[in-house]
Amino acid sequence: MKAEDILSEIKKDYVLAKLKDGERIDGRKFDEFRKIEIHSGIIQKAEGSALVKLGNTQVVVGIKMQPGEPFPDTPDKGVIITNAELVPLASPTFEPGPPDEHSVELARVVDRGIRESEAIDLEKLCIEPGKKVWIIFIDIHAVDDDGNLMDASSIATISALLNTKVPASRFGLGEDFKLPIRDLPISVTSLIVGNKYLVDPSKDELSVGENTLTITTDKNDNIVAIQKSGGYMLSEELFYELLDVSARCARKIREDYLKIII
Amino acid sequence: MLKPKLIVDGKRLDGRAFDELRPIKIEADVLKRADGSCYIEMGKNKVLAAVYGPRELHPRHLQDPSKAIIRYRYNMAAFSVEERRRPGPDRRSIEISKVSKEVFEAVIMKELFPRSAIDIFVEVLQADAGSRAAGINAASVALIDAGIPVKGIVTSVAVAKVDGQLVLDPMKEEDYYGEADLPIAFLIRNGKIESITLLQMDGRMTKDEIKRVIELAKKGVMEIYRLQRDAIMRKFMVEEDEG
């Protein structure tokens, strides 16, 4: 056994022992997020950006935009392309190379939240129907993985979109304008341990097994995306409970950190 | 593109009721070389699943001394959809492979086969919405065909919201134009639904709608489960007769 594995086993026992007493190792409530910090507009070269700290987890999201061709089935709508990179600087277990299943899943679940909540008014991003629309590139760059990159990325993405300016003048397409945002989708990820849940799990908590459920809600508490991740069995009762918990947590994040009228 | 009306006179485009599955055909043990296999048709979906293993895992550093490693590859044939798709995994296939693998990690008694690999290969020959569910349903039968100990049968189906109506087992048009889609898989043991093993959703639904979706899905999977069980029984009955 490697030292790292032994450490992980010790952490796992500690997390489980605490859980038995109805506590989390860092003293948080079961439905409590770690401290969130949002630093918007930190990348001047990008059309929009945000650094989000969720406890010790850090994610940078940058938005770039350029005119391009629409999809044939949505000729009058802008296009969203979401990508996530788990760069080796963020964790001893991340390796360089093409996106693996974890980064693909991360990007696709964040993308679903933005897309399905219709957070971006894509019809306002049509330049010439069928020919030219704005392409929005959302690039998620994990820089420190201390657990729950999913929610850190979700918060960073909507924060970055909120300060995105469409660079129309650079392409000779009139004046720059603010990216039209009309919803605030927020994902809430819970670690599942038996019939218990821990919202916003830290890396130490995830040592008990990376079994999570992500539920994304829009500003009206509608559910817009769900992703069960990990080889575990989920009970119906816990799922229904988490629908409520997730909507409540998302509402709090919106009120505390994204207080913007849209 | 104009969205067609998907529900006319309380019926779906193909005449089905809201809680009605497409026709399903399941056959176990269809491939000679694989340790276990299954062919399934769910509506226009035509899907093959094969299981290899437990077998030695290479490279050796990937081996787990406490259990078998499960690998799952969902792959769509280039000709499986209207417009030819480039062969090989795209991001959607990578995600489907991941969540499907996790379904079977929870269900296979992998502790019985340390250091080995169990490979599940799913080839979608024709796709028409619901191919990940078809793949999981076939893989579950193929695993039993291969004689690999499992905690039960896994059965999967999708439910969609189209024109404000919740419908079981959406076909292509309903999936494409619908407001929401929720693929789900359950572990069924001794004829009873025990827990959720796959759960995804995209679209927009209220909490109450999601609860109704789950009920609709449970009704659907029980019907599919009976067909899976029949396919397995048929295969083993033949073996008994022959020998």
Side-chain angles (χ1 to χ4, degrees):
Chain A
M1 233 183 186
K2 281 179 283 182
E4 207 177 294
D5 295 335
I6 295 167
L7 250 167
S8 160
E9 281 297 313
I10 294 170
K11 274 181 199 154
K12 183 176 161 179
D13 291 344
Y14 183 49
V15 173
L16 291 175
K18 275 282 199 185
L19 198 55
K20 238 183 214 158
D21 298 335
E23 285 173 35
R24 294 177 76 164
I25 50 172
D26 52 10
R28 276 188 288 157
K29 295 193 201 82
F30 288 96
D31 61 352
E32 189 180 340
F33 265 75
R34 288 168 289 178
K35 192 169 164 265
I36 300 171
E37 268 180 51
I38 303 174
H39 303 270
S40 292
I42 54 153
I43 310 288
Q44 285 77 26
K45 298 263 177 182
E47 273 70 79
S49 61
L51 162 70
V52 163
K53 294 186 187 174
L54 179 56
N56 292 319
T57 293
Q58 296 190 57
V59 173
V60 177
V61 168
I63 312 289
K64 292 296 287 178
M65 293 185 71
Q66 64 186 53
E69 257 184 59
F71 287 120
D73 52 349
T74 51
D76 56 349
K77 284 184 177 171
V79 170
I80 309 172
I81 295 174
T82 310
N83 205 30
E85 265 195 85
L86 303 180
V87 290
L89 142 150
S91 161
T93 60
F94 294 168
E95 280 168 29
D100 68 351
E101 57 180 29
H102 297 285
S103 50
V104 168
E105 183 178 48
L106 175 64
R108 286 178 63 87
V109 175
V110 171
D111 182 276
R112 242 171 259 163
I114 300 292
R115 193 179 298 276
E116 302 298 339
S117 65
E118 296 168 28
I120 307 171
D121 192 346
L122 292 176
E123 271 153 35
K124 296 214 172 102
L125 296 178
C126 177
I127 302 164
E128 201 187 336
K131 294 233 166 77
K132 216 196 249 183
V133 298
W134 285 103
I135 318 274
I136 310 161
F137 292 95
I138 301 173
D139 281 287
I140 301 166
H141 218 80
V143 290
D144 204 351
D145 175 20
D146 196 39
N148 198 10
L149 283 175
M150 186 68 80
D151 297 348
S153 304
S154 147
I155 298 167
T157 298
I158 192 66
S159 305
L161 289 170
L162 282 167
N163 68 68
T164 296
K165 271 234 168 74
V166 184
S169 60
R170 199 198 314 152
F171 295 95
L173 295 164
E175 271 179 44
D176 292 357
F177 59 98
K178 229 173 139 300
L179 187 68
I181 301 294
R182 52 186 185 188
D183 209 313
L184 298 172
I186 294 291
S187 79
V188 173
T189 298
S190 304
L191 170 66
I192 312 293
V193 188
N195 55 5
K196 294 204 173 74
Y197 67 86
L198 292 78
V199 165
D200 177 32
S202 66
K203 197 79 217 167
D204 282 347
E205 289 175 327
L206 287 161
S207 64
V208 302
E210 309 220 341
N211 297 330
T212 59
L213 184 70
T214 300
I215 299 174
T216 309
T217 45
D218 68 10
K219 62 177 182 190
N220 296 318
D221 289 351
N222 288 309
I223 294 107
V224 293
I226 302 175
Q227 182 86 339
K228 173 181 175 290
S229 180
Y232 70 100
M233 307 211 203
L234 174 68
S235 77
E236 227 177 287
E237 298 73 38
L238 186 56
F239 170 47
Y240 292 150
E241 190 180 347
L242 282 169
L243 286 177
D244 286 327
V245 170
S246 304
R248 198 170 67 228
C249 290
R251 218 180 303 136
K252 188 166 174 358
I253 291 174
R254 252 175 246 120
E255 278 163 16
D256 291 355
Y257 301 100
L258 301 169
K259 238 188 170 174
I260 302 155
I261 302 149
I262 51 166
Chain B
M1 205 179 288
L2 216 60
K3 174 179 166 296
K5 230 171 147 14
L6 295 164
I7 292 176
V8 181
D9 298 332
K11 281 258 164 73
R12 297 158 73 177
L13 288 181
D14 55 0
R16 275 188 291 160
F18 301 143
D19 62 350
E20 195 178 338
L21 295 165
R22 289 172 288 185
I24 297 176
K25 202 177 104 182
I26 308 177
E27 198 182 339
D29 196 17
V30 292
L31 303 175
K32 185 170 173 294
R33 296 300 303 277
D35 295 314
S37 60
C38 177
Y39 173 70
I40 190 167
E41 288 183 11
M42 288 179 77
K44 285 185 210 150
N45 288 296
K46 295 177 195 285
V47 178
L48 268 172
V51 170
Y52 284 86
R55 60 182 177 182
E56 209 177 334
L57 175 58
H58 292 291
R60 282 182 65 176
H61 72 267
L62 293 176
Q63 293 182 357
D64 186 329
S66 66
K67 57 181 186 290
I69 298 286
I70 315 295
R71 294 185 291 198
Y72 191 106
R73 183 176 191 260
Y74 165 99
N75 187 47
M76 285 174 88
F79 49 77
S80 61
V81 282
E82 211 81 17
E83 217 167 290
R84 180 178 188 270
R85 63 179 291 287
R86 222 154 52 114
D90 56 5
R91 291 157 62 89
R92 175 180 167 275
S93 309
I94 292 172
E95 188 195 350
I96 291 177
S97 297
K98 178 182 184 287
V99 292
S100 303
K101 172 189 73 188
E102 290 166 351
V103 165
F104 292 101
E105 279 177 343
V107 168
I108 295 171
M109 299 192 181
K110 50 191 191 303
E111 292 74 17
L112 298 175
F113 308 106
R115 296 185 198 282
S116 48
I118 295 171
D119 286 302
I120 306 169
F121 300 115
V122 167
E123 292 294 327
V124 179
L125 304 177
Q126 182 165 282
D128 190 75
S131 63
R132 89 190 61 187
I136 288 168
N137 294 336
S140 187
V141 172
L143 274 169
I144 295 167
D145 180 35
I148 291 170
V150 286
K151 293 177 184 153
I153 291 187
V154 180
T155 309
S156 180
V157 78
V159 176
K161 183 178 169 188
V162 299
D163 291 353
Q165 182 69 47
L166 302 178
V167 299
L168 181 64
D169 187 25
M171 55 180 170
K172 186 77 213 154
E173 293 80 359
E174 291 170 332
D175 182 41
Y176 185 81
Y177 294 107
E179 295 105 74
D181 180 38
L182 187 147
I184 188 166
F186 295 94
L187 171 69
I188 303 179
R189 262 175 122 164
N190 302 322
K192 281 204 192 75
I193 290 176
E194 205 168 273
S195 52
I196 300 168
T197 51
L198 176 136
L199 179 61
Q200 295 179 284
M201 183 277 218
D202 62 88
R204 192 180 247 150
M205 281 197 274
T206 64
K207 199 183 88 191
D208 290 329
E209 280 171 330
I210 288 194
K211 288 190 176 175
R212 279 163 50 214
V213 163
I214 304 292
E215 290 312 313
L216 201 51
K218 279 159 79 177
K219 177 184 179 290
V221 293
M222 284 315 290
E223 288 176 38
I224 301 170
Y225 162 74
R226 281 182 213 110
L227 298 170
Q228 286 173 299
R229 207 184 45 184
D230 289 351
I232 295 160
M233 293 296 274
R234 267 200 312 277
K235 187 247 161 171
F236 285 104
M237 300 277 250
V238 171
E239 274 184 9
E240 230 166 61
D241 290 348
E242 284 169 353

